[in-house]
Amino acid sequence: MPVKPLTRPAHTWKTRDREWNLTERALILGVINVTPDSFSDGGDFLDPGKAIAHGEKLVQDGADLLDIGGESTRPGSIPVDVEEEIRRTLPVVKALAARGFTVSIDTVKAAVAKAALKAGACVVNDITGGRGDSDLPRVAAEFGAGYIAMHMPGDPHGSTPPPEYQDPVAEICADLTERIEVLEAAGLPSASIAIDPGIGYGSFGKTLEQILALMARLDKIVAIGHPVVIGCSRKTFIGDLSGAPVEDRLPGSLAAHLWAWQRGAQILRVHDVAATRQALAVWSGITGGAVTEQ
Ligand code: HH2
């Protein structure tokens, strides 16, 4: 397949008091799951002290933002109520924001987002893209927060069957475009909205073939004109392609994230920050950060 070098799409992203320049280097969103049941690191950072120390390490390793979540989206995971989710995430958000780090709260609940934003979080990462809790975009707008709108057709715990797409890439692009309109109508400035096609099975509602189609045509998602977030880290499709168990999926995760960066995604949500930063430094050194299109 011949590739044509392109200029990386000029973008900035506003998250509260910061405006990120996305044209020079990828932003890394380091994952901290303060949960007992996340698919790859469940239980590792349930203790707030461990989660805070992990956040400090991720920033040292090169994370630009820290994505803190208190509820797993793994199929079959147990739904968590607002009080418990706040109890898990708030001390971690507070401590890491107080250190001057840019904190994102990974939640589908407005009340959890509000508590985190009051404690200094700057971004709301909403895997329902505003479809779950209709107050969530409004709360984010009130604080001037950045917003990550992910595409997810079902519910966060994976109990609805995936939709039957005729043309998954076109339909997911259309859905993300509609999500942006809904978020803007709720008061979010266009400059604060990033989009994410939602790479995953289960609650993210995609098959392996659909994930591969989305990854191959990421340029279509980039063409929507908002910063694109990609989260492939340790995901099951990497195991399906390579046979690697969840604890051995770093090489596959790096391959997927480098590809995404090359195709114009600017924000990478990863567990393994140091390795991703190193891979990006070498890749960008060689390619000059060029984007390629089909
Ligand atoms: N993936 C997960 C959770 N949140 N948010 C965005 N924007 N994009 C993603 O791809 C994404 C996300 C799932 O990964 P993880 O947090 O490691 O697992 P769990 O949901 O089991 O806690």
Side-chain angles (χ1 to χ4, degrees), residues 31 33 38-39 72-74 106 125 127 148 150 196 199 204 229 231 235 269 271:
V31 178
N33 285 317
S38 287
F39 80 96
S72 173
T73 58
R74 194 186 67 180
D106 183 352
N125 176 18
I127 59 164
I148 300 173
M150 199 190 84
D196 181 340
I199 300 296
F204 292 16
V229 179
K235 291 210 169 146
R269 181 184 184 276
H271 299 87

Side-chain angles (χ1 to χ4, degrees), residues 29-255:
L29 181 57
V31 178
I32 309 174
N33 285 317
V34 195
T35 60
D37 54 351
S38 287
F39 80 96
S40 78
D41 55 357
D44 290 357
F45 309 112
L46 192 54
D47 171 69
K50 283 191 182 156
I52 294 162
H54 188 58
E56 289 172 335
K57 163 94 172 51
L58 293 183
V59 171
Q60 261 176 23
D61 287 348
D64 300 286
L65 305 100
L66 298 170
D67 192 35
I68 299 168
E71 180 176 47
S72 173
T73 58
R74 194 186 67 180
S77 56
I78 301 152
V80 173
D81 64 29
V82 169
E83 289 69 32
E84 175 61 10
E85 201 177 324
I86 292 179
R87 196 191 63 75
R88 289 180 188 175
T89 52
L90 196 59
V92 183
V93 170
K94 214 180 245 171
L96 292 172
R99 285 160 177 70
F101 303 152
T102 303
V103 169
S104 156
I105 180 78
D106 183 352
T107 188
V108 298
K109 302 183 189 81
V112 175
K114 190 163 195 166
L117 291 164
K118 274 192 184 163
C122 295
V123 175
V124 172
N125 176 18
D126 173 10
I127 59 164
T128 75
R131 227 182 220 114
D133 183 338
S134 56
D135 276 346
L136 193 46
R138 198 187 43 72
V139 165
E142 203 183 298
F143 285 83
Y147 205 91
I148 300 173
M150 199 190 84
H151 174 268
M152 186 179 68
D155 74 281
H157 299 281
S159 50
T160 40
E164 303 228 338
Y165 296 107
Q166 300 302 313
D167 181 344
V169 177
E171 287 167 50
I172 290 166
C173 282
D175 190 79
L176 284 170
T177 304
E178 185 198 304
R179 295 288 89 215
I180 293 164
E181 284 163 15
V182 168
L183 297 176
E184 287 175 355
L188 279 160
S190 186
S192 67
I193 302 171
I195 54 176
D196 181 340
I199 300 296
Y201 304 154
S203 42
F204 292 16
K206 283 104 190 168
T207 63
L208 177 61
E209 290 67 33
Q210 291 164 355
I211 288 173
L212 298 180
L214 278 168
M215 292 297 285
R217 297 316 311 257
L218 271 184
D219 55 316
K220 297 275 185 201
I221 303 196
V222 170
I224 294 172
H226 283 255
V228 171
V229 179
I230 287 291
C232 293
S233 196
R234 303 178 184 171
K235 291 210 169 146
T236 308
F237 86 95
I238 292 173
D240 285 349
L241 290 174
S242 64
V246 67
E247 63 278 11
D248 287 336
R249 292 185 189 151
L250 175 58
S253 303
L254 293 176

